[in-house]
Amino acid sequence: MLQIAQQRASEVDRLFPLSLGAEGSCTIGGNLSTNAGGTTALAYGVAREMALGLEVVLADGRILNGLSKLKKDNTGYDLRNLFIGAEGTLGIITAATLKLFPKPRAVETAFVGLKSPAQALKLLSISQNEAAGTLTSFELLSDFAVDFSVRHGIDVRAPLANRHAWYVLMELSSPRDDARAALESILAQGLEQAIVDDAVIAASLSQRAAFWKLRDEMSAAQKPEGGSIKHDISVPVVAVPDFIEQADAAVVKLIPGARPVPFGHLGDGNIHYNVSQPVDGDTADFMGRWHEVNALVFDIVLRMGGSISAEHGIGVLKRDELPGVKDKVAIELMRAIKAMLDPTGIMNPGKVL
Amino acid sequence: MLQIAQQRASEVDRLFPLSLGAEGSCTIGGNLSTNAGGTTALAYGVAREMALGLEVVLADGRILNGLSKLKKDNTGYDLRNLFIGAEGTLGIITAATLKLFPKPRAVETAFVGLKSPAQALKLLSISQNEAAGTLTSFELLSDFAVDFSVRHGIDVRAPLANRHAWYVLMELSSPRDDARAALESILAQGLEQAIVDDAVIAASLSQRAAFWKLRDEMSAAQKPEGGSIKHDISVPVVAVPDFIEQADAAVVKLIPGARPVPFGHLGDGNIHYNVSQPVDGDTADFMGRWHEVNALVFDIVLRMGGSISAEHGIGVLKRDELPGVKDKVAIELMRAIKAMLDPTGIMNPGKVL
């Protein structure tokens, strides 16, 4: 389980940085098979970048013994990355050697209110110049997403006194005691340049935990609002504001009253673009338009050179969309690799291809 | 050319961090095909980690169009990493989208004299706790390596007044103005704990350039000393001191008077374990023992779970060694992938497999 890996690392004064809402139940094998992302990918990368080696059981029973502990190894083809993110369709990951990181000495977290994704992007740019590798999270949250979480989440409170159109939850993790000064400098620049409208820095560990609880409850908190049509997209980071503007307009034009609830990892260009049904609308009717809404959103994503699945993978839900959005030769290569490694189709059948 | 990519990035106030001795002549396609490492891999990773997307021409003329600019994309198998590091045997990389990094505001470089690789490892540990992601280089240099470079390199001078058994060339690159304080703190702790015997921090850009020139001339400076039997190995970082001790003993026992000239990227566990011929020995005789010395060194590497080619790849020189050192199933998979993508063997024939 991911949480146990995090704890074991912490016990030896190290950090295993992968962090996501499901960390109390998901497994490392699953994290690697799906190439999980989460809220720290900005600084530490995705799961792919945290595994030094793998042991994999192949469809024919052979065992690939690749539990390397090496940081650098250029002896032959990179087989490890073939199995990471393949969603179990090429083999089953049964063991992995994981990379640990120095445990940060100072962690500082801020909750920021601002006017638009474009302003958030400016704040990201200031933060990256100021904090670079110590900027470990930069989450963009829409007003709907925060409001749902505050209203439906258990023990969740709004961190700022007033409502804002958009929010950023950002965190700096530094090996030195300089994170507070850097965060204050970032926010001061943001206020001065009229990018930031209001901000609060967590004054205690419990306040920090409260900020993150608001974020972690975000998916669950959409359920009491009725049906939700979900997307997990990425576009180039600079294109995120444009994407949200275009997608919002298209979705609301198609279904008047539909409520876009975008939130996610602005620093990675990865937005969970969920759409909640209109207030008092019919849930079944709304959910029946899943593919129609998908098509609309994916069309905008593809025109921006984006991905229709940034971190959640293909699975069954997006399997039939894949040939329409992926390079033709890439699909041919994927099929050839699948046929080579699993000719009888017994590894996680029906997924991805 | 790599140097042009570095310059173009710099012109837009960004960093393309890949850096190696051959940067004035090597190409980006080559860097990716060989998954080049270099002196900044400690902080920025190897070439594999700097490409977001690739365009690849396959053996049958099909073009894989994967020039993605996305940080996160989980739509299907990771084809990009299959071609990176494959040394051109699976396809030809014809274009790539590269990742740029914020240009560091402060770069501080130190040249340190110490007694042993074990002491250098302690200094690395202090440095990683103190500087974490801002520690961009940590090169371990043996006395022979430095001495050859000082005596045979053009315009190279010894940075320290006295000779030491071992040296470390280390560099911090920070987005803030804190690199100097961090480096001074690291060296102060090293001196206090009797890890560091002497150290000098580059006082100017030209002194920094002089430190790096000493390092960059290191390979060429071995030529005037006669024949050199070369290895590019990696072991787990903590095992480097043990490896050097065992390899030195074995090599000198086999060939009395042989001069081990280890140097390289301690932070990556990657050592260029070169062995110069005995003074006044016969060069042809010495070079005739290439495979014998290789076998000795590789045996120690493998017992430590290491790699016989950390960053230089397999090519022709190590092709015949590969089946002996690599997991059997891994070799089978590599052959199957090669047969699938290049059935007639026209892509860089004779290399790797």
Side-chain angles (χ1 to χ4, degrees), chain A residues 142-208:
Chain A
S142 60
D143 176 45
F144 271 135
V146 170
D147 181 52
F148 291 178
S149 196
V150 169
R151 285 198 286 117
H152 305 302
I154 297 155
D155 282 336
V156 173
R157 245 180 303 180
L160 297 172
N162 298 312
R163 276 178 78 162
H164 298 263
W166 290 87
Y167 303 90
V168 163
L169 172 58
M170 60 184 290
E171 192 161 278
L172 270 59
S173 312
S174 173
R176 289 184 301 281
D177 302 323
D178 55 0
R180 182 67 180 228
L183 184 54
E184 283 172 356
S185 164
I186 291 164
L187 295 176
Q189 289 175 56
L191 284 161
E192 201 175 293
Q193 296 173 36
I195 292 165
V196 168
D197 292 329
D198 196 6
V200 55
I201 297 179
S204 63
L205 281 179
S206 68
Q207 202 180 0
R208 175 187 175 240

Side-chain angles (χ1 to χ4, degrees), chain A residues 34-35 48 62 65 72-75 77-78 89 130 176 178 234 267 270 307 309 311 326 332, chain B residues 34-35 48 62 71-75 77-78 89 130 176 178 234 270 307 309 311 326-327 332:
Chain A
T34 57
N35 187 28
R48 184 182 300 291
R62 282 180 299 171
N65 185 357
K72 283 161 85 175
D73 180 10
N74 273 350
T75 55
Y77 306 157
D78 182 2
T89 61
E130 194 71 26
R176 289 184 301 281
D178 55 0
S234 69
N270 175 195
S307 164
S309 183
E311 60 175 7
K326 193 96 182 165
E332 290 167 10
Chain B
T34 57
N35 188 26
R48 184 182 299 291
R62 281 180 300 170
K71 289 188 165 187
K72 284 161 85 175
D73 181 9
N74 273 351
T75 55
Y77 306 157
D78 182 3
T89 61
E130 195 71 27
R176 289 182 300 281
D178 56 0
S234 69
N270 176 196
S307 165
S309 183
E311 58 176 9
K326 192 95 183 166
D327 178 57
E332 289 166 10

Side-chain angles (χ1 to χ4, degrees), chain B residues 132-161:
Chain B
T134 64
L135 179 69
T136 40
S137 294
F138 199 95
E139 302 284 302
L140 176 69
L141 314 171
S142 61
D143 177 45
F144 271 136
V146 171
D147 181 52
F148 290 178
S149 195
V150 169
R151 284 198 286 117
H152 305 302
I154 297 155
D155 282 336
V156 173
R157 244 181 303 179
L160 297 172

Side-chain angles (χ1 to χ4, degrees), chain B residues 67-83:
Chain B
L67 283 178
S68 163
K69 292 176 182 168
L70 304 173
K71 289 188 165 187
K72 284 161 85 175
D73 181 9
N74 273 351
T75 55
Y77 306 157
D78 182 3
L79 301 172
R80 178 189 62 188
N81 277 307
L82 201 53
F83 295 98

Side-chain angles (χ1 to χ4, degrees), chain A residues 14 34-35 37-38 41-42 46 48-49 58 62-65 69-79 81-83 85-87 89-90 99 102 105 128-132 134 175-176 178 182 234-237 265 267-268 270 305-314 322 326-327 329-330 332-334 336-338 340-341 352-353, chain B residues 14 34-35 37-38 41-42 46 48-49 58 62-65 69-79 81-83 85-87 89-90 99 102 105 128-132 134 175-176 178 182 234-237 265 267-268 270 305-314 322 326-327 329-330 332-334 336-338 340-341 352-353:
Chain A
R14 289 287 178 274
T34 57
N35 187 28
L42 181 57
V46 291
R48 184 182 300 291
E49 283 144 316
L58 303 179
R62 282 180 299 171
I63 294 169
L64 176 67
N65 185 357
K69 293 176 183 168
L70 303 173
K71 289 187 166 188
K72 283 161 85 175
D73 180 10
N74 273 350
T75 55
Y77 306 157
D78 182 2
L79 302 172
N81 278 307
L82 201 53
F83 294 99
E87 303 182 35
T89 61
L90 299 179
K99 217 193 277 185
R105 224 179 277 171
Q128 282 179 322
N129 279 325
E130 194 71 26
T134 64
R176 289 184 301 281
D178 55 0
S234 69
V235 292
V237 177
H265 323 297
D268 305 321
N270 175 195
S307 164
I308 66 162
S309 183
E311 60 175 7
H312 293 166
I314 294 300
L322 193 61
K326 193 96 182 165
D327 179 58
V329 176
E332 290 167 10
L333 285 184
M334 284 173 57
I337 291 168
K338 172 72 175 173
M340 179 189 87
L341 282 169
V352 184
L353 287 170
Chain B
R14 289 288 177 273
T34 57
N35 188 26
L42 181 56
V46 292
R48 184 182 299 291
E49 284 144 315
L58 303 178
R62 281 180 300 170
I63 295 171
L64 176 67
N65 183 358
K69 292 176 182 168
L70 304 173
K71 289 188 165 187
K72 284 161 85 175
D73 181 9
N74 273 351
T75 55
Y77 306 157
D78 182 3
L79 301 172
N81 277 307
L82 201 53
F83 295 98
E87 302 182 37
T89 61
L90 300 180
K99 217 193 279 186
R105 224 178 278 172
Q128 283 180 320
N129 278 325
E130 195 71 27
T134 64
R176 289 182 300 281
D178 56 0
S234 69
V235 292
V237 177
H265 323 297
D268 305 321
N270 176 196
S307 165
I308 66 162
S309 183
E311 58 176 9
H312 293 167
I314 295 299
L322 194 61
K326 192 95 183 166
D327 178 57
V329 175
E332 289 166 10
L333 285 185
M334 284 172 58
I337 291 168
K338 172 73 174 173
M340 180 188 86
L341 282 170
V352 184
L353 287 170

Side-chain angles (χ1 to χ4, degrees), chain A residues 47-310:
Chain A
R48 184 182 300 291
E49 283 144 316
M50 295 176 198
L52 292 169
L54 295 184
E55 178 189 85
V56 182
V57 177
L58 303 179
D60 59 11
R62 282 180 299 171
I63 294 169
L64 176 67
N65 185 357
L67 284 177
S68 163
K69 293 176 183 168
L70 303 173
K71 289 187 166 188
K72 283 161 85 175
D73 180 10
N74 273 350
T75 55
Y77 306 157
D78 182 2
L79 302 172
R80 180 189 58 186
N81 278 307
L82 201 53
F83 294 99
I84 297 177
E87 303 182 35
T89 61
L90 299 179
I92 298 168
I93 298 172
T94 47
T97 39
L98 300 176
K99 217 193 277 185
L100 300 183
F101 293 77
K103 202 194 253 184
R105 224 179 277 171
V107 176
E108 296 287 346
T109 313
F111 201 88
V112 180
L114 29 70
K115 287 192 184 59
S116 65
Q119 298 291 61
L121 196 63
K122 286 183 198 162
L123 186 64
L124 174 65
S125 176
I126 293 172
S127 306
Q128 282 179 322
N129 279 325
E130 194 71 26
T134 64
L135 180 68
T136 40
S137 294
F138 200 95
E139 301 284 300
L140 175 69
L141 314 171
S142 60
D143 176 45
F144 271 135
V146 170
D147 181 52
F148 291 178
S149 196
V150 169
R151 285 198 286 117
H152 305 302
I154 297 155
D155 282 336
V156 173
R157 245 180 303 180
L160 297 172
N162 298 312
R163 276 178 78 162
H164 298 263
W166 290 87
Y167 303 90
V168 163
L169 172 58
M170 60 184 290
E171 192 161 278
L172 270 59
S173 312
S174 173
R176 289 184 301 281
D177 302 323
D178 55 0
R180 182 67 180 228
L183 184 54
E184 283 172 356
S185 164
I186 291 164
L187 295 176
Q189 289 175 56
L191 284 161
E192 201 175 293
Q193 296 173 36
I195 292 165
V196 168
D197 292 329
D198 196 6
V200 55
I201 297 179
S204 63
L205 281 179
S206 68
Q207 202 180 0
R208 175 187 175 240
F211 290 0
W212 279 108
K213 189 157 198 306
L214 182 149
R215 168 67 182 85
D216 289 341
E217 296 267 314
M218 216 150 261
S219 286
Q222 285 166 47
K223 281 182 196 148
E225 295 288 331
S228 173
I229 298 176
K230 293 167 189 284
H231 311 82
D232 162 47
I233 65 94
S234 69
V235 292
V237 177
V238 290
V240 169
D242 252 9
F243 162 75
I244 292 176
E245 197 181 320
Q246 291 186 34
D248 282 2
V251 163
V252 171
K253 191 178 164 200
L254 181 73
I255 307 181
R259 293 168 295 166
V261 190
F263 64 99
H265 323 297
L266 180 60
D268 305 321
N270 175 195
I271 299 295
H272 301 302
Y273 189 79
N274 295 355
V275 182
S276 279
Q277 67 170 73
V279 177
D280 302 326
D282 183 273
T283 300
D285 273 3
F286 179 75
M287 295 305 279
R289 306 188 72 172
W290 182 282
H291 287 288
E292 213 180 330
V293 174
N294 275 186
L296 209 61
V297 171
F298 291 163
D299 186 50
I300 298 166
V301 167
L302 294 175
R303 270 192 278 119
M304 294 181 166
S307 164
I308 66 162
S309 183

